Amino acid sequence: MLSSLSRLSRPRALALCALPVAALFAVVGLAPLPYAIAQPGTTADVLGEDRGQEVITITGAAVRPTEGQLRMTTILATGPSTDVDLGDVADAWFRTDRAVLPHDSVYPSGKSDAEIEKHNLGQMKASQDAATLAALGYLKKDPEKVKVTLNLADVGGPSAGLLFSLGIVDKLDGNGDGGDLTGGRTVAGTGTIQPDGTVGAVGGVSLKTQAAARDGATVFLVPKDECADALAEQPKGLRLVPVTALSNAVASLRALEQGQESKVPSC
């Protein structure tokens, strides 16, 4: 091989040597990579209806009418079996409305599409149970006497927990003084929740804020640990309010409703 190359002109030799490299890049460019591409997803008002049915139904306690909206937010990611190549990653890398995420951070590894869907729905059910316990615990209501049913189709995962809890609080207690917890605003947010009311991070916040702003939100409740991510792509006109627990989320919304801006933290 070396003796053959020595008899070629330099340009032709370089061209010949470049062929394997070009072939390698072509293979890499077309090969599936361990990433998912995400973009802003849908939002849903937990105080409203989904497919003709109330998202939050409560029995065993008086329920108050509400104004304003509490919108849970989602991201839309490429499917668990979708191949993502170098071109897809490069395109998403330079767009503010796309994010490149490790595949395993979005979907459990080694699972089929059906298994992943079942897993996500299971997380949603656990999140709903925790949200109910957190809200009723905050309001000091007996979960044996007050029954809450949560209904939201085609949404999986645990990230709506905080908004479900706030929706329950608003329907049962409002701002605690006869008014709406939202103050008539469109409030959006994200965050997992534990039965004790602790709020946790979820990921994809910079995409969720874009979805919230698109759907009319002016306030976004963000897990405090994800403030930096939210600020990175903060939509104009969307106020970011950090939260660590259901109690301070409620306190911030009450302060906003009462015009006490100085009591409301910001990212």
Side-chain angles (χ1 to χ4, degrees):
M1 179 65 175
L2 289 175
S3 60
S4 298
L5 286 176
S6 66
R7 291 194 294 270
L8 297 174
S9 66
R10 179 177 176 79
R12 293 185 66 184
L14 288 174
L16 185 61
C17 291
L19 286 175
V21 177
L24 177 61
F25 275 104
V27 170
V28 170
L30 295 174
L33 299 174
Y35 298 107
I37 307 298
Q39 64 187 66
T42 59
T43 72
D45 178 19
V46 301
L47 295 175
E49 295 183 349
D50 180 54
R51 301 184 183 183
Q53 183 177 353
E54 291 286 333
V55 175
I56 301 175
T57 303
I58 302 173
T59 57
V63 177
R64 57 183 302 279
T66 60
E67 294 184 7
Q69 298 181 14
L70 285 169
R71 303 196 75 88
M72 54 82 65
T73 54
T74 68
I75 61 172
L76 179 63
T78 49
S81 298
T82 302
D83 288 339
V84 173
D85 61 30
L86 186 60
D88 298 322
V89 171
D91 175 66
W93 193 263
F94 295 101
R95 295 180 58 169
T96 59
D97 63 343
R98 298 289 188 274
V100 180
L101 305 173
H103 189 278
D104 289 350
S105 73
V106 181
Y107 300 112
S109 60
K111 303 286 187 182
S112 68
D113 289 10
E115 289 173 326
I116 289 172
E117 182 179 5
K118 183 178 180 180
H119 171 79
N120 286 342
L121 292 176
Q123 283 190 315
M124 172 60 96
K125 178 61 170 62
S127 173
Q128 292 175 342
D129 292 343
T132 298
L133 290 173
L136 296 181
Y138 172 80
L139 295 172
K140 296 180 172 56
K141 293 188 178 293
D142 187 350
E144 294 298 319
K145 296 181 180 181
V146 179
K147 300 299 182 184
V148 179
T149 302
L150 300 172
N151 171 69
L152 192 59
D154 301 330
V155 176
S159 66
L162 171 61
L163 272 295
F164 280 136
S165 284
L166 289 170
I168 296 168
V169 171
D170 200 13
K171 280 179 171 282
L172 289 173
D173 194 51
N175 67 354
D177 195 30
D180 289 293
L181 189 57
T182 63
R185 297 176 176 84
T186 296
V187 176
T190 191
T192 64
I193 199 158
Q194 298 298 318
D196 66 357
T198 301
V199 173
V202 293
V205 169
S206 65
L207 298 176
K208 292 179 178 181
T209 56
Q210 293 179 56
R214 179 199 66 208
D215 291 352
T218 56
V219 176
F220 191 91
L221 303 173
V222 55
K224 187 175 181 179
D225 289 344
E226 295 184 291
C227 267
D229 291 341
L231 286 168
E233 298 293 344
Q234 182 180 4
K236 184 178 180 180
L238 185 67
R239 179 168 187 168
L240 302 176
V241 178
V243 296
T244 59
L246 174 61
S247 58
N248 59 52
V250 172
S252 290
L253 290 180
R254 282 178 173 169
L256 281 174
E257 193 271 336
Q258 295 164 4
Q260 299 174 336
E261 299 283 332
S262 62
K263 295 185 177 181
V264 182
S266 296
C267 282

